Amino acid sequence: MNNKPTEEAKPMQVSRLWLIPIAVAIAIIPLITVIHIYDCGLEENPWFSIGGKLYDFFLYYKAFFLRLIGVLVLFAMSYLLSFGDRSFLKEKKTIAPTIAIGIFGLVSLLSAILSHEKVTAFFGGYEQFEGWFVLLTYIVCFYMAFGFVRTKKLICFLLDVLLIGATIIGILGTFQAIGLDWIQSDWAKTILTPELAGAMDLSKFNIKLNFGPGMSYVTLYNPNYVGSYVALVLPYALYLVLRGEKIWRRLLASLCSGLLIVTLLASRSETGILGLMIGAIVLAILLVAYLKKARPFIIAGLVLIAAGVATIVALQPGFISKLFNGTEEYSISAMTSEENSIRITTGKDQEILVTLDKNVLNESHWASSHKTPDILSIKDSDGNDISYSIDTQENAVTIQQDGYDPLKFRVESMSLDSNTMATYQKEYTRLTGKTMEYTASSEDNSDVFEDGQIDILRVIDWNIDWVMTPIEGKLMILNHFSRLDDLRPIEKAGFEGSYYFASRRGYIWSRTLPLLTDHLLLGTGADNFVFAFPNDDYVGKQYMGYDGQTITKPHNMYLQIWVQDGLPSLLAFLFLYFLFLVRAFRLCFGKNKVEADKGISFHSFTIVTAVATTAYMVVGLANDSTITVAPIYWILLGAGYAAESMSRKR
């Protein structure tokens, strides 16, 4: 009897037609770019704007079609498990990843069920659209690939569709790199804006983006996600350049690789480059087991990679300043509303109590009829007066006492335009239950609001200021959206003095870390990070340049999963990756080491998947999970598990 192992040892005979849904998720979903006009449902929060429709080009319809793909994959997998070969379920090594993916799905489901905003948790929300049904799609796509991509033919099929999609991404990104942004072109408007058809003159509709000319974001919503995409996909393109068994595949892979590199550089994603570097280190270590004669060259390559990182740091001071250019302390660390007072904590941990005369606040037009020093007092934590200078022309006082920063305070009347007045009226009614009129009224439930003027206290730190206005005797902040809110203590941890670390991620992480202890078991629910994050941190956001912006994600995939889906989900997610990495290493270094082979094979596909997923996980330190890239990761990781299983059977 001939027991010689073969490359395809009893493979599952699954037609490529069954894989069309996950092929679409790999190649087409990242390209979908169509406008969707919607109401995000955040208006009830005072840190968000009132009214107006929002436009989404990149995420909503990606999520919509991903959910459809999830349904199709679920039905396909159910059929194959019922009537096809399901022998992989009997393998002992199937148990661990199955348990991990089950924990991830179950805990994230419980987090969504118990979330504050359940519709958002299940269907996704503002600037994310990665709800639990999308997470479920990731799970079923992973398991479809894990269970049924067990022939070389199917691996080649997935690689081919990935290559085609990546080439299109590379073409679009390269055109953006040279200043030819397709999404800004006139011919693209009719394709991208079907919901506006007939409603307006599209020639007058401009798609406004925050990215300057020459910056690649392709169809992935953000240049950061270009880093995630290229770090994950480029290793497969290079793999096909070296291992592609057909000349057309190698030529297309070569073109794709070049385009992706240009796109990555134009995206200016340092984390994407870093991810590829770490992936290259993993590749070098795995190749040591097979290229014994080339070990000196591999070691030299590792040294060059390390030298490259050191060169970036040493020769480009801009790189360091970009990460750490905010090491100085700010004059104000926190502010809290206390009736007719504002308690200020300075960057030096000093406490300042700024108080306005309570009786004066009941007067009409009090700001224009009183001078600032006559109605304002400034005291320290012990109740002692803090000295200040007076600017009579500006009607302001400025702290002039040793050890204190020169904070300025000024009372004044501020004019509001018609839109701002309308918002202010709504806010006043929300807080007091009274209506605010423009002319005198005899009604008991209305107040006078003349000439669009309101009385305010302005707190000024150099060129940054905050506007406070009394509402029934209590000072409240008038924020960037002309809405009124309390100033409350904001929890923070870490990154003190380094809030600019990693392009201001230090600030976001410092406000995210305190949330972790609240979500050890269950999270806030998918896409509910926006509700957990202190978006009412008006002091910190103003200093960081985030005033008027809504923080919807932590810019760290691991913090994102922990806060939204709970710590068990994060541990399951990490376990799934590290288990695969360990199995890949055991293929190369274990006692049953698999010998090197040629062309596209289970073994080599396992290795490239270890490299690509590692690069993706590294980029996840500074980027979030996103529907533009995450489906590709889950599907390829599942296929990698399948390839490792088949390679181990040889």
Side-chain angles (χ1 to χ4, degrees):
M1 182 180 293
N2 183 7
N3 292 323
K4 183 179 179 180
T6 63
E7 175 68 22
E8 308 222 6
K10 294 183 180 180
M12 287 181 161
Q13 298 301 320
V14 176
S15 170
R16 283 176 290 192
L17 294 176
W18 291 105
L19 299 186
I20 288 178
I22 62 175
V24 170
I26 286 176
I28 298 179
I29 290 297
L31 295 170
I32 295 174
T33 306
V34 183
I35 194 172
H36 176 60
I37 306 170
Y38 70 105
D39 183 352
C40 68
L42 295 177
E43 291 185 1
E44 64 183 36
N45 302 285
W47 38 261
F48 199 80
S49 63
I50 287 181
K53 294 294 184 180
L54 298 177
Y55 298 87
D56 173 84
F57 282 93
F58 301 101
L59 302 176
Y60 176 82
Y61 280 106
K62 284 182 173 71
F64 176 81
F65 285 107
L66 265 176
R67 292 193 294 267
L68 291 181
I69 286 172
V71 173
L72 294 175
V73 172
L74 191 59
F75 277 110
M77 191 165 58
S78 299
Y79 177 86
L80 291 173
L81 287 174
S82 300
F83 303 103
D85 184 356
R86 54 179 183 271
S87 59
F88 78 97
L89 293 175
K90 301 176 183 178
E91 298 175 10
K92 290 183 179 180
K93 290 199 172 184
T94 299
I95 297 175
T98 300
I99 292 175
I101 201 73
I103 291 174
F104 179 85
L106 178 60
V107 177
S108 61
L109 172 61
L110 292 175
S111 299
I113 292 173
L114 299 175
S115 64
H116 174 66
E117 295 290 337
K118 294 179 176 57
V119 174
T120 297
F122 281 98
F123 292 94
Y126 177 60
E127 288 192 351
Q128 295 296 110
F129 292 104
E130 195 180 37
W132 185 81
F133 286 125
V134 168
L135 299 185
L136 179 61
T137 299
Y138 297 164
I139 293 171
V140 296
C141 285
F142 166 86
Y143 220 74
M144 181 72 175
F146 174 38
F148 301 102
V149 182
R150 300 204 166 212
T151 65
K152 177 180 172 181
K153 178 181 69 175
L154 296 181
I155 287 178
C156 290
F157 174 68
L158 288 186
L159 288 173
D160 288 343
V161 295
L162 177 66
L163 184 60
I164 293 171
T167 301
I168 298 173
I169 290 285
I171 291 172
L172 296 176
T174 300
F175 274 115
Q176 288 176 340
I178 61 177
L180 299 176
D181 189 355
W182 71 278
I183 202 172
Q184 302 286 2
S185 61
D186 291 334
W187 63 265
K189 287 183 180 180
T190 54
I191 299 175
L192 303 179
T193 57
E195 290 189 24
L196 295 178
M200 66 179 299
D201 184 359
L202 293 180
S203 64
K204 298 180 181 179
F205 180 78
N206 293 316
I207 302 172
K208 296 181 180 179
L209 299 168
N210 297 324
F211 321 124
M215 198 164 189
S216 294
Y217 58 91
V218 200
T219 57
L220 304 178
Y221 179 63
N222 191 298
N224 292 329
Y225 299 148
V226 173
S228 297
Y229 182 90
V230 176
L232 177 62
V233 175
L234 181 59
Y236 290 100
L238 295 174
Y239 169 68
L240 291 176
V241 171
L242 299 173
R243 291 256 183 170
E245 296 169 350
K246 296 180 180 179
I247 187 64
W248 69 265
R249 189 177 280 148
R250 290 195 175 194
L251 290 175
L252 183 59
S254 299
L255 173 64
C256 179
S257 299
L259 294 172
L260 287 179
I261 291 172
V262 172
T263 300
L264 175 62
L265 295 176
S267 74
R268 303 169 198 171
S269 173
E270 291 94 345
T271 51
I273 296 173
L274 178 62
L276 288 171
M277 286 182 171
I278 303 301
I281 292 174
V282 171
L283 175 62
I285 295 173
L286 292 172
L287 291 181
V288 164
Y290 301 101
L291 304 178
K292 296 180 180 179
K293 294 182 179 180
R295 284 180 181 176
F297 299 99
I298 293 174
I299 294 173
L302 292 173
V303 172
L304 286 175
I305 292 174
V309 175
T311 300
I312 292 174
V313 175
L315 299 183
Q316 297 187 28
F319 180 78
I320 298 177
S321 64
K322 195 171 184 180
L323 297 180
F324 297 102
N325 62 355
T327 55
E328 72 277 3
E329 292 182 346
Y330 293 107
S331 300
I332 300 176
S333 175
M335 287 193 285
T336 307
S337 304
E338 295 184 3
E339 292 301 325
N340 59 317
S341 302
I342 298 294
R343 186 173 298 276
I344 298 175
T345 303
T346 71
K348 301 173 184 177
D349 289 330
Q350 303 157 326
E351 282 199 358
I352 300 173
L353 187 65
V354 181
T355 305
L356 290 175
D357 189 317
K358 193 168 187 177
N359 295 323
V360 170
L361 297 183
N362 294 322
E363 299 177 8
S364 178
H365 302 300
W366 57 267
S368 58
S369 57
H370 293 85
K371 297 185 181 300
T372 299
D374 295 339
I375 61 174
L376 180 142
S377 67
I378 308 175
K379 298 182 181 295
D380 62 18
S381 57
D382 296 323
N384 300 317
D385 290 330
I386 295 177
S387 61
Y388 54 78
S389 62
I390 301 174
D391 185 334
T392 55
Q393 184 175 0
E394 194 177 353
N395 190 28
V397 300
T398 304
I399 292 178
Q400 295 288 338
Q401 183 160 317
D402 291 342
Y404 287 84
D405 289 321
L407 297 175
K408 183 186 292 186
F409 307 92
R410 181 174 70 239
V411 298
E412 60 182 90
S413 293
M414 184 172 74
S415 299
L416 305 180
D417 59 34
S418 58
N419 291 332
T420 306
M421 282 191 291
T423 300
Y424 187 88
Q425 282 182 289
K426 291 179 182 178
E427 288 296 285
Y428 185 86
T429 301
R430 176 178 66 87
L431 293 169
T432 66
K434 301 177 181 179
T435 57
M436 181 168 269
E437 305 291 345
Y438 291 105
T439 57
S441 172
S442 59
E443 297 179 8
D444 294 335
N445 66 336
S446 64
D447 290 340
V448 178
F449 185 58
E450 297 178 357
D451 303 325
Q453 298 281 329
I454 62 171
D455 298 322
I456 66 168
L457 166 67
R458 196 179 294 274
V459 179
I460 306 169
D461 177 24
W462 297 102
N463 63 338
I464 297 176
D465 64 359
W466 296 264
V467 175
M468 317 293 173
T469 188
I471 302 297
E472 297 192 332
K474 182 177 183 180
L475 283 172
M476 306 188 76
I477 189 168
L478 185 68
N479 64 25
H480 182 84
F481 300 112
S482 301
R483 301 191 66 176
L484 297 165
D485 201 1
D486 280 323
L487 287 165
R488 67 177 182 89
I490 302 297
E491 288 189 86
K492 48 193 172 183
F495 295 94
E496 291 292 339
S498 294
Y499 290 156
Y500 276 85
F501 177 78
S503 300
R504 298 182 294 175
R505 284 172 173 80
Y507 163 75
I508 296 176
W509 294 343
S510 72
R511 270 58 175 176
T512 302
L513 291 176
L515 304 177
L516 301 182
T517 54
D518 298 330
H519 305 290
L520 292 176
L521 182 58
L522 297 177
T524 62
D527 271 12
N528 271 234
F529 179 85
V530 64
F531 302 105
F533 187 86
N535 273 295
D536 57 348
D537 179 19
Y538 299 109
V539 174
K541 290 173 70 174
Q542 180 86 316
Y543 278 123
M544 289 293 104
Y546 285 126
D547 192 35
Q549 298 184 42
T550 303
I551 307 298
T552 62
K553 49 190 176 292
H555 294 280
N556 180 291
M557 182 167 62
Y558 310 105
L559 295 179
Q560 178 192 27
I561 295 173
W562 187 335
V563 172
Q564 293 189 159
D565 305 309
L567 179 57
S569 292
L570 174 61
L571 295 177
F573 176 79
L574 292 172
F575 176 81
L576 205 60
Y577 160 72
F578 281 112
L579 176 63
F580 173 74
L581 193 63
V582 169
R583 290 184 178 182
F585 269 82
R586 290 185 65 183
L587 280 183
C588 299
F589 295 99
K591 62 180 180 179
N592 295 320
K593 171 184 172 182
V594 175
E595 295 302 322
D597 43 26
K598 296 181 180 180
I600 297 173
S601 65
F602 293 126
H603 178 239
S604 58
F605 183 81
T606 302
I607 291 177
V608 72
T609 300
V611 173
T613 54
T614 296
Y616 175 81
M617 295 291 277
V618 170
V619 180
L621 292 169
N623 287 353
D624 308 275
S625 173
T626 169
I627 58 175
T628 61
V629 185
I632 304 173
Y633 168 80
W634 285 89
I635 292 169
L636 293 177
L637 180 63
Y641 264 103
E644 184 276 333
S645 176
M646 298 305 295
S647 185
R648 180 169 25 88
K649 289 179 179 180
R650 292 178 54 189

